[in-house]
């Protein structure tokens, strides 16, 4: 799995030989949007119906409040990463991007969230399970 993730950085660098960072991201997110359209229509068809014993219900106010903010954060992060790939190697970019695995729980603690020991052991244990 990590090899696929790592090869994505090489593919991003190769893709930007033909496109700029923002056009590359536009194409990337357009492909994601198109591929998720069937999922959206599937969820629309089952909303309000019972699915495996639970009534599905979507909070549109919550979506309208946090959806745009989440989109802006994702846009900024992806744009910074793509522009950064113009100035550094795929390995350095992958290292910096992968640093979120450590940074997210630390920021969570800083914002007052609690964490369990499994959070800190999760990644090494997951890789150990993949190797066995």
């Amino acid at each position: 799995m990590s090899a696929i993730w790592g090869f994505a950085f090489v593919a991003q660098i190769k893709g930007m030989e033909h496109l700029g960072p923002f056009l590359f991201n536009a194409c990337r997110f357009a492909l994601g949007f198109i591929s998720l359209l069937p999922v959206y229509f599937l969820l629309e068809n089952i909303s309000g119906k019972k699915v495996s014993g639970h009534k599905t219900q979507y909070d549109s106010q919550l979506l309208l409040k946090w959806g745009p903010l989440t989109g802006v954060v994702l846009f900024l992060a992806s744009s910074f990463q793509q522009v950064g790939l113009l100035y550094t190697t795929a390995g350095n970019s992958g290292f910096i991007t992968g640093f979120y695995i450590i940074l997210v729980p630390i920021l969570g603690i800083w914002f007052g969230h609690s964490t369990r020991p499994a959070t800190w052991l999760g990644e090494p244990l997951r890789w150990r399970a993949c190797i066995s």
Side-chain angles (χ1 to χ4, degrees), residues 12 16 19-31 74-83:
Q12 285 173 266
M16 285 200 320
L19 302 171
F22 297 108
L23 183 56
F24 182 88
N25 270 342
C27 293
R28 180 179 175 185
F29 285 110
L31 286 171
L74 181 62
F75 167 77
L76 289 173
S78 298
S79 296
F80 280 131
Q81 183 180 55
Q82 284 303 122
V83 171

Side-chain angles (χ1 to χ4, degrees), residues 63-77:
L63 179 66
L64 290 174
K65 178 180 179 182
W66 293 106
L69 178 64
T70 305
V72 167
V73 170
L74 181 62
F75 167 77
L76 289 173

